[in-house]
Amino acid sequence: MKKILVVGSVGQIGSELVMELRRIYGGENVVAGGRKTAPSATLLNSGPFEICDATDPDAVRRVVEKYEIDAIINMAAILSATGEQNPALCWDVNINGLYHILEIAREYKLKQVLVPSSIAVFGPETPTVNTPQETVLKPTTMYGVTKVAGELLGDYYVRRFGVDVRGLRYPGIISSETLPGGGTTDYAVAIFYEAVKHGKYTCFVKEDTKLPMMYMPDCLKATVDLMQADFNTLKHHSDFNVGAMSFTVGELAAEIKKHIPNFHVQYEPDFRQKIADSWPDSVDDTAAREEWGWKPSFGLAEMTADMIEKIRAKVL
Ligand code: SER
């Protein structure tokens, strides 16, 4: 890949992925595409930034032509909780946005498209422990519906048009740089800020809610490793399970208490409880391990120590 466009570059993953890709490929070779939110100075000063909305194919085309882009990473998405509040917007951004990008990839013969999927493709009928790669995909959220359709669409473009489309089912992503927005797993980030700032947190899911999670350095590694994998070694394309750690909110709170002994959590579950309950506890990522060598580095203890250190440095 010579020139990469990251659509959705101002979000939780996009903002850090752009910096990682600029470190690997050079600042000028990674174009950050964003919509409304103002990009950080770090993003603006390290390479090109362009206004580029996934739902506006002409804007994406203009950027592709201007920079002779040969790969697009589509990080633009409406997450699960916002998706339930605004299903039409979720469909528009996640499906129409992806469709335009895949069509542009076909039209301009791009070398690669990477589009993340999510554990939200699973639903209440899916086995919850060590969820297999191939299993029931009957999500009950609009976000999940768009992610299943996105996986199928990606694989269709591989088969039908020979476009190199890749994707992985991110678990909840925990990070300290940019806040997540509108997801169900957002509590696993918010809890750290509240613990450091106020020593207490009111959680919107129950104490025994268990979900698969991943720390940002592993998320970046998974994304870049999949991008760089040899296409010929891939049997799957748009739907790799990737696991790292799984814990309940209670277990996370106990780990935080090792650093902040007086930390207190209370629980006031809202509509997001039902979403969390429809997702697995843990996933089987054998396919990712076998096909492109996936191996996570961070578990609960290492992630918690690092998060607290980074957030203390940021807010105190
Ligand atoms: N973090 C996402 C969400 O909560 C799951 O992919 O919506």
Side-chain angles (χ1 to χ4, degrees):
M1 256 100 54
K2 288 199 293 291
K3 288 267 186 178
I4 303 169
L5 166 63
V6 180
V7 180
S9 68
V10 183
Q12 184 196 13
I13 301 173
S15 58
E16 294 204 45
L17 183 64
V18 166
M19 297 313 294
E20 177 68 1
L21 294 174
R22 284 181 174 166
R23 197 183 58 73
I24 300 171
Y25 297 101
E28 289 308 305
N29 296 321
V30 182
V31 181
R35 215 167 54 98
K36 278 192 215 130
T37 322
S40 67
T42 321
L43 209 69
L44 273 181
N45 298 333
S46 56
F49 178 85
E50 293 282 342
I51 296 290
C52 178
D53 187 330
T55 59
D56 177 358
D58 291 338
V60 180
R61 261 192 205 95
R62 269 198 300 276
V63 178
V64 166
E65 286 181 14
K66 179 173 170 188
Y67 294 92
E68 296 180 351
I69 294 296
D70 58 14
I72 299 182
I73 302 181
N74 181 27
M75 289 288 160
I78 300 295
L79 297 186
S80 57
T82 309
E84 286 317 284
Q85 280 150 351
N86 196 340
L89 178 70
C90 185
W91 178 268
D92 190 33
V93 173
N94 299 8
I95 292 294
N96 294 334
L98 173 61
Y99 177 72
H100 295 318
I101 284 171
L102 290 171
E103 274 297 286
I104 287 167
R106 178 163 83 92
E107 208 180 306
Y108 289 85
K109 300 191 173 23
L110 301 191
K111 293 205 180 91
Q112 191 180 102
V113 173
L114 187 137
V115 55
S117 186
S118 160
I119 51 163
V121 293
F122 305 120
E125 290 152 77
T126 308
T128 52
V129 178
N130 224 11
T131 300
Q133 175 70 42
E134 314 296 344
T135 186
V136 183
L137 300 181
K138 286 185 156 193
T140 47
T141 61
M142 179 53 102
Y143 177 62
V145 169
T146 66
K147 287 296 170 186
V148 173
E151 289 182 354
L152 294 172
L153 203 57
D155 283 357
Y156 178 80
Y157 271 69
V158 175
R159 249 193 334 269
R160 178 76 168 75
F161 302 119
V163 180
D164 177 347
V165 187
R166 304 171 182 209
L168 59 182
R169 293 169 176 158
Y170 289 139
I173 304 296
I174 300 172
S175 67
S176 57
E177 179 70 30
T178 308
L179 283 172
T184 299
T185 57
D186 292 10
Y187 66 83
V189 175
I191 194 170
F192 284 100
Y193 282 87
E194 295 308 305
V196 169
K197 284 200 273 192
H198 305 119
K200 56 181 191 222
Y201 177 58
T202 304
C203 188
F204 56 76
V205 295
K206 289 188 286 191
E207 186 172 7
D208 62 356
T209 305
K210 187 173 183 179
L211 286 172
M213 299 280 176
M214 184 181 282
Y215 195 32
M216 184 58 89
D218 276 334
C219 171
L220 298 178
K221 183 170 173 294
T223 310
V224 172
D225 285 356
L226 177 59
M227 280 175 71
Q228 293 180 337
D230 178 355
F231 184 80
N232 297 317
T233 67
L234 302 181
K235 295 189 196 82
H236 297 83
H237 295 286
S238 307
D239 60 359
F240 284 99
N241 279 2
V242 278
M245 55 182 126
S246 289
F247 49 76
T248 64
V249 190
E251 287 162 347
L252 175 59
E255 194 61 40
I256 294 174
K257 269 190 181 191
K258 292 182 188 167
H259 303 264
I260 305 169
N262 293 331
F263 180 48
H264 177 72
V265 185
Q266 61 184 42
Y267 297 89
E268 287 177 15
D270 66 15
F271 73 100
R272 289 168 282 191
Q273 182 68 51
K274 212 170 150 199
I275 302 177
D277 289 344
S278 75
W279 293 348
D281 292 3
S282 57
V283 298
D284 176 354
D285 57 10
T286 311
R289 288 174 189 257
E290 285 180 358
E291 291 176 42
W292 46 276
W294 165 239
K295 196 168 176 287
S297 303
F298 284 83
L300 175 59
E302 304 82 44
M303 177 276 290
T304 302
D306 201 52
M307 275 295 280
I308 289 178
E309 193 188 314
K310 294 226 160 68
I311 289 170
R312 274 188 176 140
K314 215 171 151 179
V315 304
L316 294 183

